[in-house]
Amino acid sequence: MLVENSVSGVEVKAAHEGQSSAAPVTEKWSHEAIVARANARPERMQKLKVAANSGENPGFEYLLSCWNDDPTLQIVSKKLLAKFPQWGLVAVEGVLVKWQE
C-alpha cells in the first residue's frame, strides 16, 4: 500500500505491507499435524484408559509422547499422575518429569 504524505507529497510504503499479522504456523500446529493427532487419539486414549483402570504404568516414554504431542492427552495424563503417585511421575511447570526422592 502506498500512501502519499499530504505535507511533502512523498509516497510512503506501509510498514506492514506484505507481512502477515498472524504468527507463523509451527509444524506441530499445522493442519496435517492436528489431523494426525486426532486420528491417533482414540488408540492412545484407550491405552491411557486401560492404565487408569488397571493401575499399570504405561511407561514414562509413552506418557511423555502423549504429553508432548497432544493437549487432550496431556489432560488425561495429568489425571493419571494424580491418581497414581506411586508411578513416580509429576508435572512441574507444564513438563512431565520422573520424581527423584
Side-chain angles (χ1 to χ4, degrees):
M1 172 169 92
L2 294 177
V3 178
E4 186 175 312
N5 184 324
S6 62
V7 175
S8 67
V10 176
E11 292 183 345
V12 180
K13 184 177 179 181
H16 65 279
E17 184 176 330
Q19 297 175 355
S20 173
S21 61
V25 175
T26 62
E27 190 174 313
K28 183 176 181 176
W29 298 111
S30 70
H31 175 72
E32 293 79 14
I34 292 169
V35 170
R37 274 196 302 277
N39 290 336
R41 186 177 293 145
E43 183 179 329
R44 296 171 92 188
M45 186 70 81
Q46 182 60 35
K47 187 168 181 174
L48 294 175
K49 285 180 183 179
V50 168
N53 291 332
S54 69
E56 187 175 323
N57 186 341
F60 178 73
E61 294 302 320
Y62 183 78
L63 288 170
L64 186 61
S65 70
C66 291
W67 186 274
N68 290 332
D69 189 46
D70 190 330
T72 300
L73 296 179
Q74 189 178 81
I75 294 167
V76 174
S77 297
K78 281 182 186 179
K79 291 178 182 180
L80 281 173
L81 298 180
K83 186 174 180 179
F84 299 106
Q86 66 270 25
W87 291 354
L89 305 172
V90 294
V92 178
E93 296 183 9
V95 179
L96 183 64
V97 295
K98 291 181 181 179
W99 178 256
Q100 304 291 324
E101 290 191 36

